[in-house]
Amino acid sequence: MIYFVCASLSYLFVFDHATFQHPKYLKNQIVLEMRQALFAMPIMAIFTVPFFALEVNGYSKMYDTFADAPFSAYNLLQVPLFLIFTDFFIYWIHRGLHHPRVYKHLHKPHHKWIMPTPFASHAFHPVDGFAQSIPYHIFPFIFPLQKFAYIALFVFINIWTVMIHDGEYVSQSVIINGAACHTMHHLYFNYNYGQFTTISDRIFGSYRKPNEELFHKDTKMSNEEWTRQKKEMETIVKEVEGDDDRGYSDGTAEGKKVQ
Ligand SMILES: [Zn+2]
Ligand SMILES: [Zn+2]
């Protein structure tokens, strides 16, 4: 429900519909994104059950009321701790998913979308989506976590995942991994693996500053910028995947020469 409600609202009110004209937008892309997400979500949910079963049976460090915190400031501290911890491990899991031996089998379905829509946010191979969620499930077994904070964070994570796929480039922050950073990831693959921050990307050398053009209304969707994106993306996709087997909305596909 969070996926459909948030992605639909984002699609209606935030997502720039000019994306449909992008040379790398796929034929029937939104239907394909929803189909992939609908296939993945029930399987990811099943994989998650053991963690939830352990939690409701009291095996985690989750606590009931704010008064049960190890010390009162921890009620606030748990939020940045959760985000920094999970961001670090998602970085490495995501980077691992880009390893050539793994990428084609598990992560390629999420990279089918060169210009994602909000509906691409949960469109993964189920093992990929689950792998990237493991840090969230491990956290409450290592650190204390207030149970309502966990629910709030769970909702936040899902909204965030939609937001980084909506193509609305609000954040030009040096630390936040916003939609512009994640658009760079979908276009050019081997950069910006982080989920919430660019910290690990900066430390481990995979940060790529989003193109300046993305932050200006008149250049964001300009033909010049699109041509530049297309040219570089085509070179990288050859290195990462070999032949590009996506079916683009302008009719170009595998084997056809792209102008
Ligand atoms: Zn990726
Ligand atoms: Zn993505």
Side-chain angles (χ1 to χ4, degrees):
M1 270 182 64
I2 298 171
Y3 165 70
F4 275 108
V5 171
C6 293
S8 302
L9 289 173
S10 171
Y11 176 79
L12 289 172
F13 301 112
V14 183
F15 175 67
D16 193 333
H17 294 217
T19 306
F20 300 148
Q21 310 308 320
H22 192 285
K24 294 299 168 190
Y25 187 77
L26 306 186
K27 203 171 168 212
N28 295 326
Q29 185 172 313
I30 291 179
V31 174
L32 295 172
E33 287 170 342
M34 283 186 192
R35 197 181 289 167
Q36 186 69 41
L38 279 172
F39 167 65
M41 287 190 292
I43 301 170
M44 285 157 64
I46 292 167
F47 289 160
T48 306
V49 167
F51 291 96
F52 282 4
L54 288 171
E55 285 157 14
V56 296
N57 285 297
Y59 293 103
S60 75
K61 295 192 172 186
M62 238 179 261
Y63 59 95
D64 285 336
T65 68
F66 289 114
D68 299 326
F71 53 95
S72 65
Y74 187 82
N75 286 313
L76 279 177
L77 264 176
Q78 64 184 339
V79 176
L81 181 64
F82 179 88
L83 295 177
I84 287 169
F85 173 91
T86 55
D87 191 57
F88 175 80
F89 286 100
I90 293 170
Y91 173 86
W92 283 107
I93 293 168
H94 187 186
R95 197 166 167 166
L97 284 158
H98 276 268
H99 188 281
R101 281 173 187 268
V102 184
Y103 174 81
K104 273 199 177 96
H105 306 288
L106 293 182
H107 196 45
K108 197 179 167 190
H110 185 64
H111 276 275
K112 195 175 169 94
W113 340 108
I114 303 295
M115 284 307 288
T117 82
F119 295 101
S121 59
H122 294 58
F124 287 94
H125 184 292
V127 175
D128 174 3
F130 176 71
Q132 296 200 58
S133 76
I134 288 173
Y136 304 132
H137 304 311
I138 297 286
F139 183 91
F141 291 91
I142 301 174
F143 299 101
L145 184 61
Q146 203 277 328
K147 63 181 184 184
F148 294 119
Y150 192 25
I151 294 170
L153 284 164
F154 178 84
V155 174
F156 166 77
I157 292 159
N158 284 281
I159 296 175
W160 181 263
T161 310
V162 171
M163 281 172 66
I164 60 172
H165 291 93
D166 68 12
E168 181 58 36
Y169 309 125
V170 268
S171 166
Q172 220 170 336
S173 152
V174 289
I175 291 192
I176 298 168
N177 178 66
C181 289
H182 200 62
T183 291
M184 290 290 105
H185 180 68
H186 277 266
L187 270 169
Y188 309 130
F189 299 79
N190 299 325
Y191 308 94
N192 303 347
Y193 300 106
Q195 173 77 349
F196 306 114
T197 79
T198 58
I199 297 170
S200 294
D201 281 296
R202 286 170 186 278
I203 296 174
F204 303 110
S206 51
Y207 176 68
R208 175 164 173 160
K209 193 175 183 293
N211 300 349
E212 191 58 38
E213 284 78 359
L214 297 184
F215 299 103
H216 305 288
K217 255 201 149 49
D218 48 333
T219 51
K220 182 185 161 191
M221 295 291 192
S222 67
N223 268 330
E224 205 183 344
E225 172 61 12
W226 282 0
T227 308
R228 193 158 73 102
Q229 289 174 358
K230 182 175 160 224
K231 211 173 145 211
E232 187 175 354
M233 171 264 161
E234 282 169 2
T235 313
I236 299 176
V237 86
K238 258 204 169 58
E239 288 165 21
V240 175
E241 296 181 1
D243 280 338
D244 184 358
D245 55 7
R246 292 167 186 77
Y248 294 106
S249 57
D250 64 359
T252 53
E254 186 189 8
K256 290 191 184 168
K257 179 107 180 80
V258 180
Q259 299 294 309

